[in-house]
Amino acid sequence: MERITATYYIETPLDLEKSALVLAGEQSSGTFIAVPGETEELKARFAARVESIEKLESSTEPSIPSVKLKPGIYQRAIIKVSWSIENFGYNLPVLISTLQGNLYELTQFTGLKLMDIDFPDSYANVFKGPQFGISGCRKLTNVEGRPLIGTIIKPSIGMSPEQTAELVKTLVEAGIDFIKDDELLGSSANSPFDKRVDAIMNVINAHADKTGKKVMYAFNLSDEIDQMQRNYEKIVKSGGTSAMISLNSVGLAGVKKICDNRELAIHGHRNGWGMINRHPLLGIEFPAYQKLWRLAGVDQIHVNGIQNKFWESDDSVVTSIESCLKPFLRGFSVLPVVSSGQWGGQAVETYRRTKTVDLLYMAGGGIMAHPNGPAGGVIALQQAWRGAVDGLSVEDTANKYSEFNQSVSFFGKK
């Protein structure tokens, strides 16, 4: 029977092997004491197995407090544990309950993080994965050879549908590829969902009729499942091509339900990411996280950005981008969304570190606050990436392109 293997980074003051066995037992057939019915035959078929233990550094202080453990040496290790897929089949919520679940509460551990998950090929026969992915999003926006350039509507709360549509008109005429609602905007008193869709799609459809380019607008679907489905259908009927879901707020089952419609490119926003990742020895790492959402069918997923405004390091961002671009099952392609305080100045370093243009490069203030307005901001980002791919420095790119030069003069001093 096929097995799923999870990789964990752990810390414990106890024996590594015994602690790993507790993890495997707690998350499969066992409990803290032998019970009737837990036969050797049952354990051989259903019990999780500790596949390997790689001893790492140690610490004299626990990463996470535990009142039940005495002070000592806290040993860290990478462990691999596998489960038969008989335990949960192709049920993603139960899979998560198994691979994470109560693990974070086990007394034996003062640190535990899910680093990666290896899935058997049979998962590709059950899950459809992203409908559009990288190539599909490029086709929808008619963009090749460079990143898709996108922005976020700001202010996020307060503008009417008509005001929002007017800003969208400015952006689409400037040559933007992608626009999205802010994750804070659903259907608010000042901007009811249906009215916002009507106003924005009137602009986008008119521009597409005139130029042949349909800008992708990701309307925020995040809501109760039935309402998300109604909103999804509204976007489709209005000629839209995309929708956004706050992944951690809606959850795997809800996101998969919407993705299974397979008519819109789904933009996965990971707001709340710091809550489940920021501690180095607690939560889940992005290589594991993004695989779960690829299985659910998300086409685009946030990865933060180089020199971002949040806590995440550039190394972590690069790892996230690389994990999205790494082949998974049968071509489950997902487009990395670079965001968080981005402007054209980070393009050179982003390309140097990743060597890819298969990105959705998002800039809010980096476009909207450009000295020449949003149109100047869009052009400046396109110029920045042209320079980055050509191997030019930020300074040389600024000397060559006027709009980007103004970005450097303005944003480079912020």
Side-chain angles (χ1 to χ4, degrees):
M1 178 57 66
E2 291 181 311
R3 301 183 73 82
I4 281 181
T5 301
T7 302
Y8 299 94
Y9 180 30
I10 65 166
E11 179 186 274
T12 178
L14 307 177
D15 180 80
L16 280 174
E17 185 172 352
K18 289 181 180 178
S19 297
L21 288 171
V22 167
L23 184 156
E26 176 72 22
Q27 295 306 107
S28 57
S29 62
T31 182
F32 71 96
I33 191 170
V35 295
E38 189 185 11
T39 64
E40 291 303 313
E41 291 79 11
L42 181 148
K43 287 193 287 186
R45 182 173 177 181
F46 295 103
R49 295 196 308 237
V50 178
E51 301 290 355
S52 65
I53 300 175
E54 177 189 352
K55 189 175 180 179
L56 301 175
E57 75 281 359
S58 61
S59 173
T60 57
E61 296 291 333
S63 293
I64 302 170
S66 177
V67 297
K68 295 185 178 181
L69 292 174
K70 297 179 181 179
I73 300 299
Y74 298 88
Q75 181 64 52
R76 295 171 184 168
I78 295 292
I79 68 171
K80 292 181 182 290
V81 180
S82 72
W83 289 260
S84 168
I85 64 170
E86 284 190 284
N87 289 26
F88 34 72
Y90 300 98
N91 182 325
L92 289 181
V94 175
L95 170 72
I96 292 302
S97 296
T98 302
L99 270 57
Q100 294 186 278
N102 289 332
L103 294 184
Y104 303 112
E105 301 173 50
L106 290 174
T107 303
Q108 285 78 4
F109 299 100
T110 53
L112 189 146
K113 196 163 204 172
L114 176 59
M115 305 298 287
D116 206 348
I117 312 167
D118 292 320
F119 290 92
D121 290 342
S122 66
Y123 267 65
N125 299 325
V126 176
F127 294 94
K128 297 176 182 178
Q131 172 69 6
F132 295 94
I134 295 171
S135 62
C137 290
R138 287 195 175 282
K139 289 177 182 176
L140 287 173
T141 54
N142 194 26
V143 174
E144 298 293 342
R146 63 168 176 82
L148 278 67
I149 303 300
T151 194
I152 310 98
I153 292 295
K154 299 287 185 179
S156 56
I157 298 293
M159 290 200 298
S160 69
E162 292 75 22
Q163 290 170 322
T164 305
E166 190 61 33
L167 180 54
V168 169
K169 186 174 187 294
T170 299
L171 289 164
V172 299
E173 290 177 350
I176 199 83
D177 305 311
F178 176 97
I179 311 170
K180 78 174 187 70
D181 284 339
D182 191 88
E183 67 274 14
L184 303 180
L185 179 62
S187 186
S188 60
N190 61 288
S191 187
F193 187 87
D194 284 4
K195 290 184 178 179
R196 187 166 74 254
V197 172
D198 286 340
I200 290 171
M201 289 312 304
N202 282 342
V203 170
I204 289 177
N205 288 333
H207 183 76
D209 290 342
K210 181 179 178 181
T211 66
K213 179 180 174 66
K214 175 169 279 192
V215 172
M216 183 180 285
Y217 192 106
F219 297 93
N220 184 16
L221 287 184
S222 306
D223 206 318
E224 300 293 332
I225 292 177
D226 288 346
Q227 186 61 49
M228 285 198 295
Q229 182 61 39
R230 287 191 288 269
N231 290 347
Y232 187 104
E233 292 168 1
K234 171 65 177 177
I235 298 170
V236 173
K237 290 176 182 177
S238 301
T241 59
S242 181
M244 182 180 80
I245 302 180
S246 292
L247 303 177
N248 301 319
S249 304
V250 170
L252 270 170
V255 171
K256 183 178 181 301
K257 178 71 173 177
I258 296 302
C259 289
D260 283 348
N261 286 288
R262 307 187 74 75
E263 294 183 86
L264 300 175
I266 300 299
H267 180 92
H269 199 299
R270 66 177 195 179
N271 51 87
W273 172 241
M275 177 178 64
I276 60 176
N277 172 264
R278 188 169 184 174
H279 193 290
L281 264 157
L282 182 65
I284 184 171
E285 275 291 285
F286 194 79
Y289 179 84
Q290 56 88 24
K291 285 181 180 178
L292 295 169
W293 297 111
R294 278 209 247 188
L295 284 173
V298 168
D299 298 287
Q300 308 168 358
I301 190 166
H302 280 239
V303 295
N304 216 327
I306 295 291
Q307 301 163 14
N308 62 80
K309 66 181 181 182
F310 295 134
W311 59 274
E312 196 167 0
S313 70
D314 287 355
D315 287 346
S316 177
V317 173
V318 171
T319 295
S320 296
I321 292 171
E322 290 174 345
S323 67
C324 288
L325 300 177
K326 186 177 181 179
F328 176 53
L329 296 178
R330 269 204 313 258
F332 283 19
S333 165
V334 65
L335 180 65
V337 180
V338 175
S339 62
S340 175
Q342 300 299 291
W343 63 283
Q346 293 109 314
V348 168
E349 184 66 3
T350 303
Y351 186 74
R352 186 188 73 80
R353 293 290 304 271
T354 66
K355 291 295 186 290
T356 187
V357 294
D358 283 335
L359 305 169
L360 168 50
Y361 196 80
M362 298 283 293
I367 287 177
M368 308 304 291
H370 190 276
N372 287 346
V378 172
I379 294 169
L381 278 178
Q382 294 170 346
Q383 293 173 345
W385 273 97
R386 214 172 296 145
V389 172
D390 288 344
L392 301 180
S393 66
V394 171
E395 183 179 14
D396 288 343
T397 304
N399 289 334
K400 186 173 182 179
Y401 298 111
S402 61
E403 296 291 350
F404 180 66
N405 189 301
Q406 292 188 54
S407 285
V408 172
S409 297
F410 184 74
F411 298 111
K413 297 176 183 178
K414 300 299 177 184

